[in-house]
């Protein structure tokens, strides 16, 4: 029986989250924090899912009957339920695309992650991309992986839309293709911004209250209350993203820091920056950071810090951790999703 291992990077949004939901371009990148998925086909008509660690729950096994797609999750485990939804939707949509008799196949899947679910590092997109890749690999559909990554991105985006109600293509396209990407959500396209230097970035998170879907709804309500003002915020974010693309290409990290701080201020205006992130921002800037910004849907969760040099990353990481944040990575990576036949 073929065993497939999928390694999926998570991601940060450098510029343009929330605005990207309204068609504005954004800049995102994969980071060296991975979710590992291992799976094989089984003869029974079930999906057996083992969640090994992280994702805010101890190791657990769930069995989902394919023909019913119902799963009982005992107790207050909304996060677990969400993870299962992404997995089952990804299998369903992948099998539909492959022209297979959806819901008649069985899988044994295990997922390992060191990150809690829903902190703004694209964990749900990583699960959608990872399970779609696994399904394609196990059903012998992958011939030219590099080219098929676009198809994986598109299916996974549909998974996110089904589970969350609304989602931009940013997370799924970035995670499938990998690297620093300029996202055009209306196409959709994810252009590689190819650079040959390291951006001195620190990536961390604090507790997050609320899901991505809830935060998208919160921003939508704000838009309904004052559309003109909202549109001018979107327009400013659009200008920031364009300037940031140039600054990244030119290696102008001072300008990049200024743009991150302005983008953070606008996220605050949209109501998605919490007190903890406000404090972190002030203190890290005082400690020498060039830019500090909430990354992702907000209300806590992921944040990114731009340091003046690689050497100053350590000191800034120390400051962030002493304020209660968790640092998960330094720098970004070029790779997207990968798989191995075992
Ligand atoms: O917090 P995350 O990783 O779920 O990112 C959400 C980013 C948003 O722009 C708020 C939503 C989206 O679909 O792009």
């Amino acid at each position: 029986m073929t065993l497939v291992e999928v390694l999926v990077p998570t991601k940060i949004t450098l510029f343009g989250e929330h605005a990207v939901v309204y068609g504005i371009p954004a800049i995102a990148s994969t980071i060296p924090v991975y979710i590992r998925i291992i799976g094989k086909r089984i003869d029974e008509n079930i999906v057996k899912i083992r969640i090994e660690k992280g994702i805010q729950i101890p190791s657990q096994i769930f069995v989902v009957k394919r023909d019913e797609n119902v799963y009982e999750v005992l107790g207050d485990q909304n996060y677990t339920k969400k993870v299962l939804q992404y997995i089952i939707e990804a299998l369903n949509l992948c099998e539909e695309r492959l022209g297979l008799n959806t819901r008649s196949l069985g899988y044994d899947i295990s997922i390992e992650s060191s990150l809690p679910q829903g902190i703004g590092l694209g964990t749900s997109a990583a699960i959608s991309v990872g399970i779609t890749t696994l399904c394609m690999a196990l059903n012998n559909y992958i011939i030219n992986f590099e080219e098929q990554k676009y198809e994986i991105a598109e299916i996974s985006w549909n998974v996110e839309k089904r589970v969350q109600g609304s989602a931009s293509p940013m997370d799924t396209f970035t995670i499938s293709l990998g690297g620093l990407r300029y996202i055009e959500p209306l196409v959709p396209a994810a252009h590689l911004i190819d650079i040959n230097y390291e951006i001195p970035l620190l990536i961390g998170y604090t507790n997050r209250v609320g899901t991505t879907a809830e935060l998208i709804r919160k921003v939508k309500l704000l838009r309904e209350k004052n559309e003109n003002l909202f549109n001018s915020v979107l327009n400013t974010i659009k200008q920031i993203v364009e300037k940031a693309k140039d600054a990244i290409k030119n290696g102008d990290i001072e300008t990049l820091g200024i743009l991150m701080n302005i983008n953070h201020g606008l996220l605050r205006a949209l109501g998605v920056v919490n007190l903890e992130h406000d404090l972190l921002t002030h203190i890290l800037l005082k400690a020498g950071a060039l830019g500090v910004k909430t990354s992702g849907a907000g209300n806590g969760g992921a944040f990114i810090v731009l340091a003046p040099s690689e050497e100053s990353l350590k000191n800034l990481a120390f400051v962030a951790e002493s304020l209660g944040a968790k640092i998960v990575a330094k720098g970004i990576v070029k790779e997207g999703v990968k798989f191995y036949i075992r």
Side-chain angles (χ1 to χ4, degrees):
M1 189 67 81
T2 311
L3 196 70
V4 169
E5 178 181 345
V6 185
L7 207 58
V8 207
T10 47
K11 73 110 217 358
I12 50 169
T13 312
L14 285 106
F15 296 95
E17 54 276 268
H18 284 291
V20 71
V21 175
Y22 299 89
I24 303 293
I27 298 174
S29 177
T30 42
I31 57 168
V33 182
Y34 300 90
I35 290 182
R36 191 161 159 256
I37 301 176
I38 296 178
K40 61 180 181 198
R41 286 270 308 271
I42 50 175
D43 290 335
E44 261 177 296
N45 183 19
I46 56 169
V47 184
K48 207 166 149 192
I49 301 156
R50 188 179 300 108
I51 300 181
E52 294 285 0
K53 60 181 177 184
I55 318 186
Q56 285 186 351
I57 46 170
S59 293
Q60 287 186 55
I61 296 179
F62 303 91
V63 175
V64 180
K65 289 189 188 141
R66 286 315 299 280
D67 42 3
E68 295 168 18
N69 269 0
V70 280
Y71 27 85
E72 286 286 312
V73 179
L74 298 178
D76 180 20
Q77 295 194 4
N78 277 334
Y79 278 116
T80 316
K81 204 163 181 173
K82 269 261 170 315
V83 172
L84 297 185
Q85 271 179 302
Y86 286 106
I87 296 170
I88 298 302
E89 279 301 343
L91 289 173
N92 288 346
L93 290 186
C94 161
E95 290 170 353
E96 251 172 53
R97 174 67 63 103
L98 270 55
L100 296 168
N101 186 1
T102 310
R103 301 179 187 185
S104 70
L105 307 175
Y107 301 88
D108 184 334
I109 296 171
S110 84
I111 301 184
E112 250 179 59
S113 161
S114 57
L115 293 175
Q117 180 74 1
I119 46 157
L121 291 174
T123 43
S124 31
I127 289 175
S128 308
V129 169
I131 296 290
T132 305
T133 307
L134 180 82
C135 163
M136 285 188 172
L138 285 175
N139 293 303
N140 302 319
Y141 186 70
I142 299 184
I143 298 154
N144 183 335
F145 189 42
E146 281 315 305
E147 276 178 18
Q148 285 175 285
K149 280 183 180 176
Y150 285 90
E151 202 176 349
I152 293 172
E154 195 205 315
I155 295 173
S156 317
W157 180 29
N158 287 330
V159 173
E160 288 226 303
K161 284 190 278 192
R162 277 218 191 159
V163 179
Q164 288 170 203
S166 73
S168 79
M170 174 174 66
D171 288 15
T172 43
F173 277 67
T174 303
I175 288 172
S176 299
L177 304 168
L180 191 57
R181 299 266 163 184
Y182 173 78
I183 313 290
E184 283 185 294
L186 299 179
V187 179
H191 308 279
L192 183 69
I193 307 176
D194 205 7
I195 52 169
N196 56 6
Y197 65 93
E198 302 282 331
I199 303 179
L201 266 181
L202 201 63
I203 297 132
Y205 69 88
T206 62
N207 281 343
R208 175 159 122 182
V209 182
T211 62
T212 298
E214 282 162 5
L215 290 158
I216 291 177
R217 272 200 298 278
K218 186 177 177 190
V219 173
K220 194 164 164 240
L221 279 179
L222 192 75
R223 177 187 189 231
E224 280 161 15
K225 283 205 174 126
N226 201 329
E227 202 163 339
N228 284 344
L229 265 182
F230 185 87
N231 286 341
S232 44
V233 172
L234 285 195
N235 195 33
T236 313
I237 293 178
K238 189 176 175 190
Q239 290 178 50
I240 291 170
V241 172
E242 295 310 316
K243 283 189 187 305
K245 188 171 68 166
D246 291 341
I248 292 172
K249 282 185 184 161
N250 298 333
D252 181 357
I253 62 164
E254 274 187 23
T255 300
L256 208 56
I258 293 168
L259 294 169
M260 271 170 65
N261 295 330
I262 302 175
N263 196 164
H264 179 80
L266 292 171
L267 287 173
R268 197 169 190 284
L270 294 180
V272 295
V273 173
N274 73 354
L275 180 64
E276 243 174 317
H277 274 206
D278 256 344
L279 285 174
L280 266 171
T281 311
H282 279 287
I283 296 171
L284 286 167
L285 287 172
K286 270 248 173 294
L290 296 179
V292 187
K293 174 182 164 294
T294 290
S295 174
N299 207 15
F303 65 92
I304 53 175
V305 184
L306 183 70
S309 64
E310 290 285 325
E311 296 73 49
S312 50
L313 283 173
K314 206 169 154 200
N315 181 39
L316 290 169
F318 177 78
V319 174
E321 286 190 321
S322 62
L323 292 168
K326 186 141 179 43
I327 298 299
V328 291
K330 293 186 178 110
I332 56 176
V333 289
K334 292 200 165 165
E335 293 81 31
V337 64
K338 284 189 218 161
F339 79 96
Y340 311 91
I341 309 268
R342 293 285 180 223

